Amino acid sequence: MKGVFILKLEIGNFHVEDIKFGDSTNFKDGILTINKDEALNVVKEDKHITDADIKIVKPGDQVRLVPVKEAIEPRYRMDEGPLFPGVTGNLQQVGDGMTMALKGTSVLVVGQHWGGFQDGLIDMAGEGAKYTYFSQLKNIVLVADTDEEFEKREQQKKNKALRWAGMRLAEYIGRTVSNQDPDEIEEYELGPITKRNSDLSELPGVVLVMQPQSQMEEDGYNDLNYGWDTNHMLPTLMHPNEVLDGAMISGSFMPCSSKWSTYDFQNFKLIKRLYEEHGETVNFLGVIMSNLNVALEQKERSAQFVANIAANLGAEAAIVAEEGYGNPDADYIACLVALEDAGVKTVGVSNEATGRDGASQPLVSLDPKADALVSTGNVSELIKLPPMDTVIGELEALARDGLSGGWEDDEELGSSVKEDGSIVMENNAMFCGDGIAGWSKKTMKEF
Amino acid sequence: MSNKAVVYINQFFGQIGGEEAADHEPEVRDGVAGAAQAIAPNFDGEVVKTVICGDNYMSSNQDKAVAKILGELEDVDFDIFFAGPAFQAGRYGNACGAIGQAVKEEFDVPVVSSMNIENPGVDMFKKHIYIFPGGHSAAKMRDDAKKMAEFGNKLLNEEGPFLAEEEGFYKRGIRHQYFLPDETPAADRAIDMLLKKLNGKEFKSELPIPEQDLVEIAPAIKDLSQAKIALVTSGGIVPVDNPDKIQSASATRWGKYNIAGEDKLKNRESNEYKTIHAGFDPAAADSDPNRVVPLDALYKYQQEGRIGEIHDYFYSTVGTGTTEGEAARMGREIAEELLDANVQAVILTST
Amino acid sequence: MVKEIERTGITVVQMANLIPVARTVGANRMVPTISIPYPLGDPKTSKEEQWEVRYHRVGVALDALETEIEEQTVFAV
């Protein structure tokens, strides 16, 4: 079939056994070496970065990181294109060809001082480590400050300079594997939907509906789709490879435990899991990329589009994943109900917000048609943690800067940050802690 | 240092008498009395007091009865409170629930009861105390009491967590996050649920949709032109210095702000009002707070005689992340002020 | 909060954008607003248009207060 457009993605994995600083940046036999000065030069290409350092943290290190703004997997695209088209470079198709990835590591972006509602915390060891996925990775931590005075004291931050610096750093580090054979290759291929063979077509068609956060009307805060603000899109059909290969980047708004970092998008477990079932138990049709706008009519419009696309594809079932809580629950339920009404069986994946006492309504909107829900955690869960030997970033940010799970002053609990460095916080500020992309090992139970 | 329990039973199980003794005033006896005997042998500790009260007395004089019992327990050293088992007896179930809830709130000890599913006390009190499913009648005394005692032991001697599905008590509507021992990730659980649902097999949702609980509809205002209206908001509109330090999320505080005689709310730039609600873009609310608390429109209606008057204060808190419990408490406190001020109606704006 | 206020017998009308949420929360009288960050006045429109919307919808809220209802009701704007 000449000129038939089939996306076939191969991700070449390089397992990182250790990371250290050295005279030159390279990857050899499992060891990633980074020339810190060179790496910092890449970071400082943006003059808005006023101060920067890079640290290496590993699982088990007695380190607490806060405020954490983003996580990105370092990769290299063999066609030499930008890791995030439309964002770090020119627009191009992704999800096809070969992309090399350094596994077991991520680039973490941490503010040197200033945090915000959307930033979070990671403990690399101890009781707090289990609350986030990133404590399992060897992380290359960029900790930096910027001259973005306009938002320094604001609770809502775009974190533009820092996030873009993180992406540049991830590209820089990814180049270390531009010319080597990977340890293993993951293959991702789905044929064009209407041209699949009968074995596949007879299996129940399933779509994954993703609801990335797009709450802000001003630019600079929302998740981006090939560089386009998700607030300004209508739900659309995308190939899952595109999500795995850099079409989506995380924004800077969602309270942190609900967040999908860019790493989450690159490794979206629900997509990988559906691929595992594809051809065996289901016919994975694709991803319907929706959003989470704030106005009721926009929520209704998105739900309508999602149900329409799913029904017209002939999907028998859909998994809906919500990157958020609060008013976005209305979108979540609206999509689930619209799909059920269109004859598409649904399963939803989200977190809940039942309050510190656990007695509040789990989602702001409910409907009996949403009868199959996976719950990944409680935004409001109170967590108390002892001090950590080392803090990267600034611990006080948790209490001072309006992080979603931290506070300056509470009648009963006092400040989130105690004098001895111990903390009391809500799960809300655990970095991507509710693992809605699919890796959460938590659920919600009746106590 | 063994565990100490206090047990509550009614007049019948306290061996005072039957219906004729239902008005028996509450009394506290040392050690085990009457049917508290059923709990004692299985309880890993000592029953230090038994409280006996007539079911009628408790239902007709609840406040007095509760106050008396709490007063008598003030100086008692105890770790746990058992009430019942109450089987299907409605008044007894109500009594167990009422005293159980009061003891929990006053002394902060765990409270355990047992009632048959038909007992109205279950729905009324399951949110507040642990209630185990029990038999129809006293024929089940031994089993029900044993269940209560054994769970009491667990509560006192073990770490927890104590899940409704594992322990067996009626769901309390209290949900917390829980790390799965087998560490099955959410994606696997989603696929599992999906395949079951697709194939018509039974599956269990991790978030069962709870039933709705509505309040009685308040009557329509007969003559609005005589009525006093108040403005209330969860949009976090406060004076620019946030004097009451209302939190931007998970709020536990509310404020009231004097707008007597004002024809609109002045904005953040004029150094008057702004929003502190963290869940949305504040720009529009800061530049014109009337977009959230429509004082200007309401003022016009008052000038036109459509409404009688506007209450001197508007009330404000923040609605994101705020627990139902806190929201309800704040709602009650605000409602009290409104009643005192003879407010007949409220326009409540949320964001 | 709306339920606690209504429980005391004070007539309440909830003005909210997310009507499904207001319904779930238990509001009996509801009037839709135009959005979450600017419930009664879109900054992208003229001052006159904003006033029109605000005045009109608050008027509907007042109508709601005067209307007897049997069940949860959303009043059309």
Side-chain angles (χ1 to χ4, degrees):
Chain A
M1 279 189 287
K2 190 179 158 163
V4 168
F5 184 81
I6 299 178
L7 290 188
K8 178 174 170 172
L9 174 67
E10 290 182 299
I11 303 186
N13 293 335
F14 293 84
H15 294 284
V16 174
E17 305 297 328
D18 198 14
I19 311 179
K20 57 188 176 51
F21 291 119
D23 290 333
S24 82
T25 301
N26 64 71
F27 180 80
K28 192 164 143 48
D29 299 328
I31 314 284
L32 173 65
T33 308
I34 301 175
N35 174 321
K36 201 203 252 208
D37 288 336
E38 212 176 84
L40 283 173
N41 284 339
V42 167
V43 167
K44 289 183 176 162
E45 277 169 23
D46 179 356
K47 299 287 170 250
H48 292 298
I49 303 278
T50 53
D51 197 6
D53 193 11
I54 297 175
K55 307 225 189 248
I56 299 167
V57 299
K58 298 173 204 173
D61 287 351
Q62 295 293 325
V63 176
R64 174 165 292 155
L65 300 119
V66 61
V68 186
K69 295 154 189 283
E70 170 72 293
I72 306 152
E73 184 168 77
R75 291 183 173 188
Y76 179 78
R77 198 181 294 295
M78 289 307 283
D79 65 11
E80 294 172 26
L83 277 194
F84 306 105
V87 179
T88 58
N90 291 335
L91 196 56
Q92 71 169 71
Q93 181 67 49
V94 296
D96 192 49
M98 185 143 204
T99 295
M100 301 302 194
L102 286 155
K103 305 304 292 187
T105 181
S106 79
V107 169
L108 290 179
V109 178
V110 176
Q112 205 180 73
H113 299 294
W114 307 106
F117 192 64
Q118 64 289 315
D119 299 337
L121 183 140
I122 297 172
D123 271 3
M124 294 300 295
E127 298 162 45
K130 63 178 184 268
Y131 292 103
T132 157
Y133 184 82
F134 298 90
S135 56
Q136 298 170 44
L137 304 177
K138 300 171 187 66
N139 298 304
I140 302 142
V141 183
L142 167 64
V143 51
D145 202 5
T146 77
D147 65 0
E148 290 157 318
E149 288 303 317
F150 74 95
E151 65 179 26
K152 202 144 261 185
R153 304 282 177 177
E154 293 293 328
Q155 193 176 25
Q156 312 288 9
K157 288 182 162 58
K158 298 184 185 183
N159 287 320
K160 170 111 192 262
L162 291 172
R163 294 191 290 135
W164 264 246
M167 287 189 272
R168 273 199 303 287
L169 194 53
E171 284 185 330
Y172 167 74
I173 292 172
R175 283 201 273 282
T176 57
V177 293
S178 60
N179 197 11
Q180 295 180 49
D181 289 331
D183 298 329
E184 89 234 340
I185 299 179
E186 291 171 17
E187 280 184 17
Y188 296 99
E189 183 178 5
L190 302 172
I193 294 173
T194 54
K195 304 265 190 256
R196 294 184 190 175
N197 65 38
S198 56
D199 284 346
L200 267 176
S201 308
E202 268 154 36
L203 291 169
V206 177
V207 289
L208 173 66
V209 178
M210 291 175 65
Q211 297 179 308
Q213 80 80 7
S214 57
Q215 298 267 286
M216 290 292 263
E217 302 210 345
E218 190 186 320
D219 282 349
Y221 297 97
N222 300 322
D223 293 359
L224 299 182
N225 185 343
Y226 280 105
W228 187 252
D229 195 312
T230 46
N231 180 284
H232 308 318
M233 57 174 269
L234 288 172
T236 188
L237 183 67
M238 288 180 75
H239 194 292
N241 292 1
E242 296 181 279
V243 178
L244 294 177
D245 197 28
M248 304 292 297
I249 67 156
S250 187
S252 179
F253 178 81
M254 192 45 68
C256 216
S257 72
S258 308
K259 180 184 167 81
W260 294 338
S261 65
T262 297
Y263 185 100
D264 285 65
F265 279 112
Q266 292 168 300
N267 288 283
F268 215 78
K269 194 157 169 76
L270 279 167
I271 290 180
K272 292 190 177 189
R273 208 46 202 86
L274 278 164
Y275 255 111
E276 280 172 41
E277 298 297 318
H278 177 67
E280 308 280 331
T281 56
V282 304
N283 179 6
F284 185 14
L285 300 174
V287 167
I288 300 177
M289 189 63 70
S290 187
N291 56 10
L292 290 173
N293 284 10
V294 145
L296 183 61
E297 196 188 271
Q298 292 174 37
K299 292 176 191 296
E300 289 170 347
R301 187 176 289 108
S302 286
Q304 194 174 292
F305 266 77
V306 164
N308 234 294
I309 294 172
N312 277 301
L313 285 174
E316 272 187 54
I319 297 181
V320 180
E322 173 198 1
E323 187 196 1
Y325 78 94
N327 83 74
D329 289 347
D331 302 64
Y332 179 59
I333 294 291
C335 268
L336 290 167
V337 171
L339 285 161
E340 291 283 344
D341 286 345
V344 179
K345 296 187 166 65
T346 63
V347 168
V349 182
S350 83
N351 56 12
E352 297 180 23
T354 60
R356 288 184 196 167
D357 58 5
S360 290
Q361 191 172 291
L363 301 174
V364 308
S365 173
L366 299 165
D367 193 297
K369 289 177 185 164
D371 64 357
L373 299 177
V374 170
S375 249
T376 64
N378 183 13
V379 154
S380 342
E381 208 72 44
L382 211 56
I383 297 172
K384 294 188 180 160
L385 294 171
M388 288 290 251
D389 293 343
T390 308
V391 173
I392 295 180
E394 189 159 282
L395 191 58
E396 198 49 44
L398 178 64
R400 176 196 66 212
D401 296 345
L403 268 71
S404 54
W407 50 84
E408 209 154 5
D409 189 20
D410 177 281
E411 276 104 3
E412 270 181 54
L413 302 164
S415 165
S416 275
V417 177
K418 306 294 176 196
E419 269 189 45
D420 66 354
S422 63
I423 56 179
V424 53
M425 59 185 281
E426 282 185 6
N427 178 46
N428 215 344
M430 281 299 179
F431 188 73
C432 306
D434 288 332
I436 301 167
W439 31 52
S440 174
K441 295 175 187 167
K442 297 180 296 181
T443 183
M444 291 288 282
K445 294 260 188 201
E446 290 274 345
F447 276 68
Chain B
M1 271 276 292
S2 80
N3 296 319
K4 300 182 184 57
V6 171
V7 180
Y8 174 92
I9 50 182
N10 73 1
Q11 80 287 352
F12 175 76
F13 291 105
Q15 291 161 345
I16 311 285
E19 262 313 306
E20 75 290 355
D23 290 296
H24 186 78
E25 283 189 31
E27 55 164 306
V28 179
R29 296 202 194 158
D30 287 338
V32 175
Q37 255 178 58
I39 295 197
N42 291 299
F43 178 63
D44 180 23
E46 202 196 328
V47 172
V48 295
K49 301 278 182 194
T50 304
V51 180
I52 305 173
C53 182
D55 285 339
N56 277 350
Y57 188 88
M58 177 61 86
S59 63
S60 320
N61 308 285
Q62 188 166 307
D63 289 345
K64 234 167 101 179
V66 166
K68 176 150 193 260
I69 296 169
L70 293 183
E72 297 219 24
L73 292 176
E74 199 58 57
D75 294 320
V76 177
D77 178 23
F78 67 106
D79 307 297
I80 190 165
F81 190 83
F82 293 106
F87 315 108
Q88 207 171 331
R91 280 170 303 156
Y92 191 12
N94 180 66
C96 288
I99 188 61
Q101 182 180 354
V103 164
K104 173 158 166 257
E105 284 167 16
E106 181 71 20
F107 300 110
D108 195 23
V109 297
V111 175
V112 183
S113 179
S114 165
M115 298 179 204
N116 181 262
I117 182 98
E118 304 285 336
N119 194 323
V122 171
D123 275 345
M124 286 170 64
F125 293 103
K126 66 186 178 191
K127 265 180 144 31
H128 305 285
I129 64 177
Y130 288 108
I131 306 179
F132 278 82
H136 288 284
S137 72
K140 283 292 190 183
M141 171 63 90
R142 260 199 14 191
D143 291 340
D144 290 357
K146 183 162 185 256
K147 193 95 222 19
M148 286 168 59
E150 284 176 347
F151 184 64
N153 295 337
K154 268 192 167 178
L155 282 175
L156 294 178
N157 301 334
E158 286 173 34
E159 273 275 339
F162 305 109
L163 304 179
E165 68 191 39
E166 282 176 6
E167 305 300 330
F169 52 83
Y170 293 112
K171 286 190 187 172
R172 301 188 294 162
I174 293 176
R175 293 172 64 79
H176 287 290
Q177 68 183 15
Y178 178 72
F179 283 87
L180 289 164
D182 62 13
E183 301 199 325
T184 311
D188 288 357
R189 283 142 45 200
I191 295 287
D192 186 66
M193 210 182 280
L194 180 78
L195 293 176
K196 288 187 170 128
K197 193 168 172 180
L198 269 173
N199 295 312
K201 300 225 177 84
E202 255 191 56
F203 61 89
K204 217 171 116 188
S205 178
E206 295 180 5
L207 202 193
I209 303 291
E211 277 169 38
Q212 250 210 314
D213 154 47
L214 294 171
V215 280
E216 208 180 299
I217 297 173
I221 304 290
K222 296 262 182 337
D223 187 359
L224 214 51
S225 68
Q226 302 295 319
K228 189 189 227 186
I229 318 277
L231 286 164
V232 177
T233 186
S234 63
I237 298 290
V238 296
V240 291
D241 57 344
N242 193 8
D244 298 295
K245 295 204 191 317
I246 300 175
Q247 304 95 324
S248 290
S250 305
T252 56
R253 303 180 198 124
W254 55 269
K256 76 182 203 219
Y257 306 110
N258 195 318
I259 45 167
E262 301 285 339
D263 60 354
K264 63 171 191 265
L265 289 182
K266 299 206 186 68
N267 64 11
R268 184 177 184 177
E269 234 190 280
S270 316
N271 226 23
E272 290 285 334
Y273 290 100
K274 68 175 185 185
T275 183
I276 45 149
H277 189 303
F280 61 84
D281 185 343
D286 284 351
S287 74
D288 186 358
N290 296 283
R291 291 182 176 122
V292 178
V293 176
L295 178 58
D296 58 359
L298 202 59
Y299 184 82
K300 181 104 196 295
Y301 281 111
Q302 187 206 15
Q303 296 295 95
E304 293 167 358
R306 180 97 164 80
I307 63 172
E309 60 175 298
I310 302 176
H311 182 43
D312 284 345
Y313 296 91
F314 80 88
Y315 298 82
S316 180
T317 186
V318 165
T320 184
T322 309
T323 69
E324 269 175 63
E326 292 297 325
R329 174 190 55 83
M330 293 194 277
R332 279 193 294 275
E333 290 168 3
I334 293 173
E336 237 183 270
E337 296 227 349
L338 297 173
L339 284 173
D340 281 344
N342 279 322
V343 169
Q344 278 96 40
V346 165
I347 294 181
L348 198 159
T349 59
S350 35
T351 51
Chain C
M1 284 205 301
V2 66
K3 283 200 317 204
E4 292 309 320
I5 295 175
E6 188 147 13
R7 226 187 273 278
T8 65
I10 296 176
T11 313
V12 196
V13 57
Q14 173 130 23
M15 301 189 76
N17 187 239
L18 298 186
I19 292 297
V21 174
R23 204 187 276 277
T24 307
V25 150
N28 285 318
R29 291 178 170 85
M30 295 169 274
V31 172
T33 62
I34 64 174
S35 88
I36 287 178
Y38 39 87
L40 296 163
D42 182 347
K44 296 190 288 294
T45 60
S46 70
K47 274 215 162 0
E48 288 73 37
E49 283 171 274
Q50 289 181 55
W51 170 256
E52 288 293 332
V53 163
R54 188 146 71 243
Y55 182 76
H56 171 66
R57 294 202 187 203
V58 171
V60 174
L62 294 176
D63 291 341
L65 290 172
E66 289 179 311
T67 311
E68 286 294 353
I69 52 173
E70 302 284 309
E71 50 179 10
Q72 288 181 293
T73 306
V74 181
F75 288 80
V77 291

